[in-house]
Amino acid sequence: MEKQQSLKIVPLGGLGEVGRNMMLLEYERKILIIDMGFRMPEEDMPGIDFIVPNINYLRGKQKNILGIVFTHGHYDHIGAIPYLIGKIWRPNLEIFASPLTRGIILKRQEDFTSQPKLDITEVKNGSKIKLGPFRIEFFKQNHNIPDNLGLFIETPVGNIIHTSDFKFDPNPVNDLPTDFEKLKDFSKRKILLLLSDSTGAEEEGHSLSEKTIEKNLEEIFQRSTGRIIAATFSSLINRIQQIITLSEKYQRKVAIEGYSMKTNTELAKVLGYIKSKKGTIIKAKEISNYPDSRITILCTGAQGEGSAILMRIANKEHPFIRLKKGDDVILSSSVIPGNERTVQTLKDDILRQKTKVFHYKMMDIHAGGHAQQEELKEMIKIMKPKFFLPIHGQYSMLVSHAELAREAGVPEKNIVIAENGQVINLNQKRILVEKKTVPSNYVMVDGLGIGDVGEVVLRDRQMLARDGMFVIVVIVDKQTGQVKGSPDIISRGFVYLRESKELLAQTRKKVIEIVNRAAGSGGAVNWSYIKDEIRNKIGQFLYTKTQRRPIILPVVIEV
Ligand SMILES: [Zn+2]
């Protein structure tokens, strides 16, 4: 076999979007996988729970997969594991993650039955591993979850830095500040390519230190005289810690509500990433034993997710927690563009109950955790990479980050902006995007089904939501092929039937014509053809009359 001189970098998710991070490094057909995240659906995807990366490219290549490394425990980096791991599974598949990331992954796997048993090797700051042609050294990176690891990867074409999600933090929570000496040491070993987090690339200046975020949160604690109800993300371990720390400082007990919030907090406590004094954390049922000014409720639902705790409290569906005058609710802004409306409704519902709402951006999983323009430039200046590829972010963020790289001295021709499914080809001398792409379209998870909701199902749901449905039941005489009686029409979400008698009468007449004409021509009756005719002709007819396109379901019954 001819020796391959270049390395392929294949982003399957996370480039051109926030979330769903997954990337492959491929050399001589050997593949290293970095992260397997999911993202939340957009507002026009009714009934879809998650979107996961498309891994068709890996089909039949199981034996070439060297292993998987995970950078940190956020769901946009690990969330797709239960949906994808079975498809690339082979015994002795090597997986690496930091202790907290490993804990979160394994805990979550318990909720999914019939999963292969994952054997995850713990790695931490300074750990070195070798996987085929790749040597990887892990290094600590600050973020808004502890135990986050960047990757220094020696490849046959040169050294690569993958920053993971990161920020430079002089005052982190339960963590050490960024080790700049270590970053400079990597740089001395010459960096061919820098892959760096773009999520904060459109934000000027420097990200806030976790200590500063805590100070800002403290203002709410200082002023509050009632209960504090703080909704955040269950994987935002640093925020959970800060709320516990502040509650202790202001003599409040903390009740934790929500399954994922409880399990993640317990796990992080056991592993030493969340610290609390004995007696601080109480059961939610015990909150009535304390004055309101001594209570913090920490819960899920910062984004107005339908099933989350805050939503249930706001809708008076929670078994025993009700909002009342004097409560202070801390809510995050939304991560998902288009989700603002849901958050707005939630906010209004809370306010109607005479409760104060603090819309606090730093409760958001992507706010405060990512390097902003000054830090991103600093990272580029430290690493002095020959080539630069911005990762993790919407297209506009990638473009901003590329601009920062130019300002930091990377020549324009050495910067590549690529999106999901593109193949980046790298050697010592050049970087380019290949013409050929690999599949990277959305794979949607709907309940427990993975990928069985395709574009067609989604389009149907969108049509149902927009224009409703229209069922036509026709009874046909088996002997003659002619319609018996008058077709039955059932419709939902289309027009109010009682006020549309004329439209319905015309529709019935047309259906009879279509069926009788088709059946009357003699020979065997092609029912699927007749159904298509009904669907098309009635569809056109209803559109000309109403400017709507309901889903039409023809039902033909032979008697
Ligand atoms: Zn993250």
Side-chain angles (χ1 to χ4, degrees), residues 136-171:
I136 304 168
E137 186 170 339
F138 297 86
F139 60 97
K140 195 183 68 60
Q141 285 280 67
N142 291 123
H143 190 28
N144 49 20
I145 184 169
D147 235 6
N148 175 39
L149 295 170
L151 313 170
F152 171 80
I153 309 168
E154 286 179 35
T155 81
V157 301
N159 297 334
I160 295 177
I161 288 275
H162 183 296
T163 63
S164 177
D165 284 351
F166 83 101
K167 66 172 170 179
F168 290 145
D169 193 343
N171 284 301

Side-chain angles (χ1 to χ4, degrees), residues 502-529:
E502 180 57 28
L503 180 71
L504 295 184
Q506 289 176 9
T507 307
R508 285 199 186 89
K509 206 171 139 233
K510 280 204 163 292
V511 171
I512 295 170
E513 278 170 23
I514 293 167
V515 178
N516 288 354
R517 199 185 314 128
S521 52
V525 179
N526 183 343
W527 292 116
S528 71
Y529 167 77

Side-chain angles (χ1 to χ4, degrees), residues 21 72-77 143-145 148 164-166 365-366 369-370:
N21 297 292
H72 64 293
H74 279 155
Y75 292 140
D76 52 346
H77 294 260
H143 190 28
N144 49 20
I145 184 169
N148 175 39
S164 177
D165 284 351
F166 83 101
I365 196 139
H366 295 297
H370 298 267

Side-chain angles (χ1 to χ4, degrees), residues 7-49:
L7 174 82
K8 284 182 186 177
I9 298 158
V10 188
L12 294 180
L15 270 69
E17 64 185 335
V18 169
R20 205 169 63 116
N21 297 292
M22 180 168 179
M23 175 177 273
L24 314 176
L25 297 190
E26 182 173 352
Y27 186 81
E28 286 182 341
R29 297 190 195 173
K30 297 288 182 217
I31 298 169
L32 169 70
I33 300 177
I34 302 170
D35 288 336
M36 286 173 109
F38 69 38
R39 61 175 284 193
M40 298 292 172
E42 289 158 35
E43 224 177 31
D44 59 351
M45 298 179 178
I48 302 298
D49 297 330

Side-chain angles (χ1 to χ4, degrees), residues 391-555:
I391 58 170
H392 303 172
Q394 298 285 342
Y395 196 75
S396 66
M397 298 168 183
L398 304 179
V399 171
S400 293
H401 203 178
E403 183 57 39
L404 296 173
R406 269 190 292 275
E407 287 171 23
V410 184
E412 177 140 21
K413 65 174 183 8
N414 289 2
I415 301 170
V416 158
I417 297 174
E419 287 193 88
N420 297 335
Q422 291 189 311
V423 178
I424 299 106
N425 191 303
L426 173 76
N427 66 23
Q428 290 92 335
K429 296 198 182 66
R430 53 114 189 93
I431 187 166
L432 56 85
V433 177
E434 292 181 2
K435 283 208 177 66
K436 197 184 68 168
T437 58
V438 311
S440 67
N441 53 322
Y442 286 169
V443 173
M444 286 167 267
V445 180
D446 168 13
L448 290 174
I450 307 153
D452 54 355
V453 176
E455 298 290 327
V456 176
V457 176
L458 195 61
R459 203 188 54 222
D460 283 354
R461 286 184 187 175
Q462 287 162 351
M463 282 173 77
L464 280 171
R466 203 173 49 232
D467 294 335
M469 69 169 196
F470 198 83
V471 183
I472 302 164
V473 184
V474 201
I475 297 173
V476 178
D477 188 311
K478 210 187 276 181
Q479 308 296 316
T480 64
Q482 301 295 299
V483 176
K484 281 184 88 167
S486 177
D488 239 339
I489 289 172
I490 307 157
S491 102
R492 287 289 181 274
F494 168 58
V495 289
Y496 192 48
L497 292 183
R498 261 187 237 172
E499 287 171 5
S500 317
K501 288 214 170 88
E502 180 57 28
L503 180 71
L504 295 184
Q506 289 176 9
T507 307
R508 285 199 186 89
K509 206 171 139 233
K510 280 204 163 292
V511 171
I512 295 170
E513 278 170 23
I514 293 167
V515 178
N516 288 354
R517 199 185 314 128
S521 52
V525 179
N526 183 343
W527 292 116
S528 71
Y529 167 77
I530 290 180
K531 283 185 192 168
D532 283 346
E533 280 285 291
I534 295 175
R535 211 176 279 128
N536 295 335
K537 295 236 163 89
I538 299 299
Q540 274 166 17
F541 172 71
L542 292 176
Y543 184 73
T544 56
K545 294 285 178 191
T546 65
Q547 313 300 309
R548 288 185 204 164
R549 290 192 184 282
I551 289 200
I552 296 173
L553 296 174
V555 180

